[in-house]
């Protein structure tokens, strides 16, 4: 039987919601991943930086922009031992400067994704998927990268119908 893993990067603390800052204990991407876990059987792995960005939103985005400009690969706290038993990886992340957080780049470069299917999911406040799908294709050579699902982060709790439709289209329901 096909196995699925949800690998996600999510940020709590101070976040941007449609024009205002708000402190959250659980990041938008993690909320959406929780909704997915209610719908399908999947293992999950949270991609976490060894030295996380600042909890202050404006400082965080400056740090993320610097990492993007430097093409940095932040060190991660941990990795799954292997992805060999998974056929499908749902890769979820917020849009940072038009792509994924650089920690997701670190994660993708750690594994061989040959023969796997990657389903990108990107939370954002209006910037959509950015160029993240193309970046995934470059980093995960040999993988089939399907059309991603952009979710407005401030609507993370109300995205069940969109998530359900996307999972159905990708034969995961």
């Amino acid at each position: 039987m096909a196995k699925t893993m949800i690998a996600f990067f999510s940020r709590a603390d101070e976040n941007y919601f449609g024009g205002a800052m708000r402190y959250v204990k659980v990041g938008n991407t993690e909320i959406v991943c929780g909704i997915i876990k209610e719908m399908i059987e999947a293992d999950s792995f949270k991609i976490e930086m060894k030295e996380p960005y600042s909890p202050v939103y404006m400082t965080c985005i400056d740090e993320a922009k610097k990492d993007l400009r430097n093409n940095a690969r932040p060190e991660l706290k941990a990795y799954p031992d292997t992805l060999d038993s998974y056929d499908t990886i749902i890769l979820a992340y917020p849009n940072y400067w038009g792509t994924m957080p650089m920690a997701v780049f670190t994660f993708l470069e750690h594994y061989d994704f040959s023969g796997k299917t990657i389903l990108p999911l990107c939370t954002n406040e209006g910037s959509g998927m950015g160029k993240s799908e193309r970046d995934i294709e470059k980093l995960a050579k040999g993988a089939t990268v399907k059309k991603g699902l952009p979710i407005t982060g401030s609507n993370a709790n109300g995205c069940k119908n969109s998530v359900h439709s996307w999972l159905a289209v990708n034969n995961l329901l």
Side-chain angles (χ1 to χ4, degrees):
M1 178 176 199
K3 265 188 92 174
T4 301
M5 171 181 268
I6 303 166
F8 68 96
F9 180 98
S10 189
R11 184 176 180 284
D13 301 319
E14 186 180 48
N15 270 317
Y16 179 78
F17 290 88
M21 301 299 177
R22 196 167 78 206
Y23 180 85
V24 296
K25 289 185 178 188
V26 178
N28 298 325
T29 307
E30 190 166 356
I31 289 169
V32 177
C33 291
I35 291 167
I36 293 170
K37 292 267 300 171
E38 291 173 6
M39 295 181 188
I40 65 170
E41 187 175 320
D43 295 332
S44 64
F45 176 78
K46 186 172 185 178
I47 301 168
E48 297 180 275
M49 295 168 45
K50 197 171 222 177
E51 295 187 26
Y53 293 135
S54 171
V56 177
Y57 182 78
M58 295 308 287
T59 304
C60 170
I61 64 169
D62 288 342
E63 293 167 342
K65 187 176 194 177
K66 181 181 174 191
D67 276 356
L68 178 63
R69 284 187 175 150
N70 293 332
N71 201 26
R73 296 299 186 267
E75 191 175 348
L76 303 185
K77 281 185 178 181
Y79 294 90
D81 291 334
T82 181
L83 299 182
D84 291 349
S85 64
Y86 300 101
D87 301 300
T88 302
I89 310 293
I90 295 173
L91 185 65
Y93 47 86
N95 185 319
Y96 276 22
W97 297 105
T99 189
M100 309 166 286
M102 298 311 287
V104 179
F105 282 66
T106 303
F107 176 82
L108 288 171
E109 289 177 344
H110 190 78
Y111 296 101
D112 177 2
F113 288 92
S114 298
K116 300 198 181 299
T117 298
I118 299 177
L119 303 177
L121 184 150
C122 182
T123 57
N124 64 87
E125 284 300 311
S127 49
M129 298 297 294
K131 65 184 189 97
S132 64
E133 292 160 304
R134 288 188 307 275
D135 286 339
I136 293 167
E137 288 172 349
K138 289 178 196 170
L139 294 163
K141 292 185 184 347
T144 300
V145 180
K146 299 284 188 131
K147 182 169 176 36
L149 177 64
I151 296 285
T152 302
S154 56
N155 188 40
N157 285 311
C159 71
K160 286 182 182 175
N161 290 340
S162 298
V163 167
H164 188 274
S165 296
W166 181 66
L167 293 172
V169 164
N170 287 288
N171 301 312
L172 289 177
L173 292 176

